[in-house]
Amino acid sequence: MGEPEAGSEFANGEAAAAGPMADTQYILPNDIGVSSLDCREAFRLLSPTERLYAHHLSRAAWYGGLAVLLQTSPEAPYIYALLSRLFRAQDPDQLRQHALAEGLTEEEYQAFLVYAAGVYSNMGNYKSFGDTKFVPNLPKEKLERVILGSEAAQQHPEEVRGLWQTCGELMFSLEPRLRHLGLGKEGITTYFSGNCTMEDAKLAQEFLDSQNLSAYNTRLFKEVDGEGKPHYEVRLASVLGSEPSLDSEVTSKLKSYEFRGSPFQVTRGDYAPILQKVVEQLEKAKAYAANSHQGQMLAQYIESFTQGSIEAHKRGSRFWIQDKGPIVESYIGFIESYRDPFGSRGEFEGFVAVVNKAMSAKFERLVASAEQLLKELPWPPTFEKDKFLTPDFTSLDVLTFAGSGIPAGINIPNYDDLRQTEGFKNVSLGNVLAVAYATQREKLTFLEEDDKDLYILWKGPSFDVQVGLHELLGHGSGKLFVQDEKGAFNFDQETVINPETGEQIQSWYRSGETWDSKFSTIASSYEECRAESVGLYLCLHPQVLEIFGFEGADAEDVIYVNWLNMVRAGLLALEFYTPEAFNWRQAHMQARFVILRVLLEAGEGLITITPTTGSDGRPDARVRLDRSKIRSVGKPALERFLRRLQVLKSTGDVAGGRALYEGYAAVTDAPPECFLTLRDTVLLRKESRKLIVQPNTRLEGSDVQLLEYEASAAGLIRSFSERFPEDGPELEEILTQLATADARFWKGPSEAPSGQA
């Protein structure tokens, strides 16, 4: 589970004020914040062998990250290929001369650079945080002139014109269904063919459960025959396709099935040529592994990506958990399910990072106290894992993070069975926190003036505490009650009592069911809410603050700013709610809104939100948190809420969990808060999430060089132009061929599917 920071999605954005409000949601402003990831010192300290290991893992991650284009929108691979061709032929400065000669203003050309940088950053044309489409903030005709008159178009006129004709319309289109990622009429997704509905997704999940197949590395394609009967293809991601191969645990599953009257076909070979390149780099990395755990881990990942086997990825993850405290840390695969509208398919990501020893020492002290701190959580010991499996918890400086976005902290693997029995690892990404979430005073919205200085002073330290607690004791806590395939229970049915009802346990997880498969569309956000709540609850514990070096008045300020940051984030979250569809587009932000609602419900003046008028004469708001009531009012409210969250999760009570969570997540205009009206104010004052420029590594002989780039949209574009020096054109060809092979599944973007499955 990846953790973006509370309230961090905004970095810069007075530009938003210029046009009509609806439009600004769908553009990236010219003055968007851009930061460079600094890992020079961490890289310098690596040995030559560690550098080679990190280099090949980074290559594997960057190759695999291209699959995200195919997991986002039908047009994303073509947009990427078009941009790559443009900037390979002319760098941003050279293209600027051409653009200005074609009649673009400096502002329009900068808008194009920001758009291109946004596509590279998000690995597609939808924001990874919020799942909203973004379009170029300049006239389409002007961009067309730049593209068709470019050096790339002169070198390869047919290819460039063909790419523009394929994706130009969709690049700019904001017809309602295309504005957000979603399923059926709700939006666009390429995890499912365009004609799939939520009913199809549920049926497919039940089919996968019945065959003990994971959804993590799959996509679902539906075709309807002449009689109107749907046929489903479940396609696994793998290098191997339909060609005969040695028996593996996957080959026996590759066949036709009849399930509840519908034909299902399980196939494989999704993203095959991309995964081939991932596997080649993992093979090379294996030669530089520091120990047998790393070697076996990579062998299993290679097996997983070659065969399409999640079971092999689980075995690799087991070796990864056992590889304690490595100098070079990494993870790769189909990991987070936030962007699947159903909530069970994983987006590809890969990261490579270097341990920061000083900060890691604080996290190790937190791990040492974890068993004691778990007892402070507000549920009975029977609802906690039988044995706390001491995890690794390190602070890392990221060298490479490929995928759609970079989180602030991670708790993985996401496989429930491994987490319950084998353990997990936590990481805090220190150099990401340092640049992505720095806050300028004048950009701080919705806070009282006298809170702003305190907030800026303590926001970083309080977030270190929150990430530590969220990852280790949030995601790392709690037990799932399970009945295995032999009928055995992992809890005592006679003696375990539900603290909410006073009765014996009435529900649990059957064999093959997981948290994601059972709680589906709310699973990610509900779990983030539980982890965030654990962080707020346990930061009140003096022992926790001592571990991070805070005592007395400083400790109280850290607590106050941590709670204030969460409450403010709950208000900022309204940007990520779509009133027309009554849905949330970002799991973490929905979670923070739910916590705001819980704390508002506690009453007694703990929190007040007051609409005001800003100095610019436009609507504004102020959030106040009464610090004297955090322990007396806030803590008991959070305690009750946390207990309910955990009990419903442990018992697999989907109906109870949905009623609780969706109740708090509902956004209405009911007084006193009038959240829908407040949402307009939040949109009016929203700022765009920063873009992050990452370095490249390059092999020169047997030496690995670190290539760094300036913190600008042009610098970010250059980093991608130099990312694939050997095979850039080949990758563009692969991406467009893969997209074209499946294009029929999303033909006619305005044709939303009908309601029935």
Side-chain angles (χ1 to χ4, degrees):
M1 291 146 211
E3 174 55 12
E5 183 203 358
S8 66
E9 34 303 332
F10 311 102
N12 244 338
E14 281 309 304
M21 229 157 65
D23 293 349
T24 62
Q25 290 183 65
Y26 307 109
I27 58 163
L28 303 177
N30 275 13
D31 63 350
I32 194 165
V34 186
S35 294
S36 285
L37 264 196
D38 179 13
C39 58
R40 189 181 310 166
E41 184 59 14
F43 184 77
R44 189 182 69 77
L45 295 171
L46 294 180
S47 72
T49 304
E50 287 161 352
R51 288 183 184 189
L52 285 160
Y53 182 65
H55 168 71
H56 290 297
L57 287 176
S58 291
R59 303 306 302 147
W62 286 124
Y63 281 126
L66 297 172
V68 175
L69 294 160
L70 295 153
Q71 294 182 299
T72 301
S73 70
E75 66 275 13
Y78 300 103
I79 296 173
Y80 174 92
L82 181 60
L83 294 174
S84 295
R85 278 181 177 266
L86 275 183
F87 292 113
R88 190 168 52 251
Q90 289 167 288
D91 76 16
D93 290 341
Q94 294 165 331
L95 194 62
R96 171 179 276 109
Q97 301 312 314
H98 162 60
L100 297 179
E102 287 286 358
L104 269 70
T105 64
E106 285 283 1
E107 289 72 29
E108 287 168 336
Y109 183 67
Q110 179 61 20
F112 173 56
L113 290 187
V114 165
Y115 175 77
V119 169
Y120 286 138
S121 274
N122 293 280
M123 265 296 110
N125 55 333
Y126 286 74
K127 293 178 194 171
S128 65
F129 199 89
D131 294 343
T132 308
K133 187 172 187 178
F134 57 95
V135 300
N137 190 22
L138 70 158
K140 180 166 173 261
E141 313 71 59
K142 286 193 168 184
L143 181 55
E144 181 170 42
R145 284 212 300 275
V146 172
I147 288 169
L148 298 183
S150 68
E151 190 66 39
Q154 284 165 25
Q155 291 169 7
H156 302 282
E158 282 178 31
E159 288 93 330
V160 171
R161 185 173 290 278
L163 284 169
W164 173 250
Q165 283 171 345
T166 305
C167 68
E169 281 301 320
L170 284 167
M171 192 187 280
F172 281 85
S173 173
L174 283 174
E175 66 171 277
R177 191 186 169 204
L178 304 183
R179 290 175 189 173
H180 306 291
L181 296 182
L183 193 52
K185 293 174 180 163
E186 302 298 322
I188 198 79
T189 176
T190 48
Y191 284 114
F192 298 85
S193 56
N195 57 356
C196 282
T197 64
M198 196 53 85
E199 297 311 309
D200 295 313
K202 285 177 186 155
L203 181 69
Q205 186 62 56
E206 286 162 9
F207 164 72
L208 289 165
D209 288 346
S210 76
Q211 297 304 318
N212 227 353
L213 271 171
S214 168
Y216 270 122
N217 64 343
T218 68
R219 293 199 288 167
L220 184 71
F221 300 91
K222 176 171 90 168
E223 298 206 66
V224 180
D225 65 20
E227 279 118 55
K229 184 174 176 148
H231 294 248
Y232 299 96
E233 178 196 356
V234 171
R235 192 188 301 166
L236 312 180
S238 66
V239 176
L240 294 175
S242 54
E243 67 275 16
S245 65
L246 293 172
D247 262 358
S248 74
E249 58 218 341
V250 177
T251 44
S252 62
K253 308 268 190 188
L254 302 174
K255 58 184 183 187
S256 299
Y257 301 80
E258 186 82 14
F259 182 75
R260 303 221 177 130
S262 291
F264 275 81
Q265 177 91 22
V266 177
T267 66
R268 68 177 172 185
D270 218 358
Y271 328 117
I274 292 173
L275 291 175
Q276 176 65 44
K277 288 184 178 284
V278 174
V279 164
E280 285 165 10
Q281 292 298 326
L282 293 178
E283 284 285 6
K284 288 178 179 173
K286 234 166 76 178
Y288 305 106
N291 55 50
S292 65
H293 287 315
Q294 287 180 359
Q296 290 170 291
M297 162 188 94
L298 293 175
Q300 292 296 336
Y301 292 164
I302 289 165
E303 171 79 359
S304 171
F305 300 143
T306 302
Q307 299 285 349
S309 165
I310 289 295
E311 287 306 315
H313 198 270
K314 283 186 183 179
R315 291 194 292 273
S317 299
R318 248 185 214 106
F319 289 119
W320 179 72
I321 293 164
Q322 291 161 15
D323 183 28
K324 302 278 189 192
I327 302 293
V328 177
E329 184 59 285
S330 68
Y331 198 59
I332 189 166
F334 296 90
I335 313 297
E336 302 293 357
S337 55
Y338 302 123
R339 296 182 91 194
D340 168 11
F342 187 71
S344 61
R345 284 155 193 79
E347 184 172 74
F348 195 96
E349 70 177 43
F351 78 83
V352 185
V354 182
V355 171
N356 175 324
K357 289 185 174 151
M359 192 64 191
S360 296
K362 291 180 183 175
F363 289 135
E364 278 162 25
R365 290 201 291 278
L366 187 65
V367 171
S369 310
E371 282 193 88
Q372 275 312 108
L373 292 169
L374 281 171
K375 293 173 185 166
E376 303 290 327
L377 290 171
W379 48 78
T382 47
F383 282 71
E384 199 42 74
K385 294 187 188 77
D386 303 339
K387 181 177 184 296
F388 182 69
L389 302 150
T390 308
D392 242 16
F393 199 159
T394 45
S395 176
L396 303 177
D397 286 335
V398 172
L399 176 64
T400 296
F401 206 114
S404 66
I406 313 182
I410 322 173
N411 173 291
I412 37 183
N414 285 336
Y415 305 120
D416 291 331
D417 46 353
L418 289 194
R419 298 170 67 78
Q420 296 280 321
T421 58
E422 310 269 340
F424 52 88
K425 280 186 183 180
N426 297 279
V427 297
S428 172
L429 304 177
N431 61 340
V432 177
L433 286 173
V435 297
Y437 307 130
T439 310
Q440 295 168 278
R441 195 179 195 283
E442 62 275 15
K443 305 280 186 190
L444 265 182
T445 49
F446 309 127
L447 292 182
E448 294 289 357
E449 284 303 314
D450 54 2
D451 275 336
K452 287 184 178 179
D453 293 328
L454 204 61
Y455 183 90
I456 286 168
L457 184 62
W458 291 110
K459 184 183 177 213
S462 74
F463 195 58
D464 283 337
V465 173
Q466 179 68 10
V467 166
L469 294 171
H470 172 116
E471 301 296 353
L472 175 67
L473 296 156
H475 292 315
S477 65
K479 176 173 180 169
L480 301 185
F481 295 151
V482 179
Q483 181 182 25
D484 68 20
E485 65 279 2
K486 299 189 178 86
F489 291 88
N490 69 343
F491 65 98
D492 188 328
Q493 285 183 284
E494 296 300 315
T495 60
V496 177
I497 298 298
N498 180 329
E500 294 291 303
T501 64
E503 297 169 1
Q504 291 176 331
I505 303 304
Q506 306 290 324
S507 56
W508 48 83
Y509 296 80
R510 317 273 173 193
S511 173
E513 288 182 331
T514 66
W515 164 249
D516 275 341
S517 73
K518 251 179 117 60
F519 282 72
S520 68
T521 52
I522 64 163
S524 286
S525 186
Y526 186 114
E527 175 57 16
E528 294 307 329
C529 188
R530 196 182 68 88
E532 290 284 47
S533 300
V534 166
L536 284 189
Y537 186 75
L538 286 181
C539 81
L540 298 169
H541 201 286
Q543 185 188 351
V544 168
L545 296 166
E546 278 168 28
I547 288 168
F548 284 89
F550 306 119
E551 293 175 347
D554 286 356
E556 290 303 308
D557 284 346
V558 167
I559 291 168
Y560 175 61
V561 169
N562 197 31
W563 279 61
L564 181 64
N565 190 37
M566 187 64 69
V567 169
R568 175 177 180 258
L571 179 61
L572 297 178
L574 289 165
E575 180 197 341
F576 299 93
Y577 178 74
T578 307
E580 302 77 19
F582 303 101
N583 76 345
W584 284 90
R585 306 187 312 277
Q586 215 294 321
H588 297 83
M589 297 314 279
Q590 179 181 1
R592 290 157 189 160
F593 178 77
V594 165
I595 290 170
L596 171 63
R597 289 282 314 275
V598 169
L599 296 177
L600 279 166
E601 185 184 75
E604 297 185 48
L606 173 68
I607 291 169
T608 47
I609 302 175
T610 314
T612 61
T613 301
S615 55
D616 56 3
R618 299 184 304 167
D620 205 342
R622 288 289 169 271
V623 176
R624 289 187 192 83
L625 167 67
D626 185 338
R627 66 190 295 166
S628 70
K629 293 179 178 168
I630 290 175
R631 284 185 174 83
S632 59
V633 180
K635 186 181 178 187
L638 207 53
E639 185 170 311
R640 288 189 297 273
F641 177 61
L642 245 181
R643 184 182 302 117
R644 290 173 75 191
L645 282 179
Q646 183 56 51
V647 167
L648 294 163
K649 180 181 179 184
S650 288
T651 57
D653 181 350
V654 181
R658 277 197 180 275
L660 173 72
Y661 199 68
E662 290 173 348
Y664 280 118
V667 180
T668 70
D669 227 11
E673 288 83 24
C674 308
F675 282 120
L676 284 174
T677 303
L678 273 174
R679 178 178 177 273
D680 290 340
T681 304
V682 169
L683 284 176
L684 188 68
R685 305 209 171 263
K686 83 182 181 76
E687 298 183 33
S688 295
R689 199 169 169 79
K690 274 187 183 175
L691 303 178
I692 306 285
V693 182
Q694 297 186 55
N696 285 319
T697 55
R698 179 177 294 164
L699 199 53
E700 295 185 3
S702 59
D703 287 343
V704 180
Q705 304 296 324
L706 186 72
L707 307 178
E708 295 175 288
Y709 302 87
E710 69 173 21
S712 66
L716 202 156
I717 290 166
R718 282 193 185 94
S719 75
F720 267 88
S721 293
E722 295 181 14
R723 196 142 278 156
F724 304 107
E726 311 85 31
D727 49 7
E730 182 198 348
L731 291 168
E732 291 145 30
E733 189 74 17
I734 285 170
L735 285 164
T736 53
Q737 282 176 354
L738 290 174
T740 304
D742 288 324
R744 69 183 192 281
F745 290 115
W746 295 280
K747 276 285 173 266
S750 54
E751 298 160 26
S754 56
Q756 77 281 353

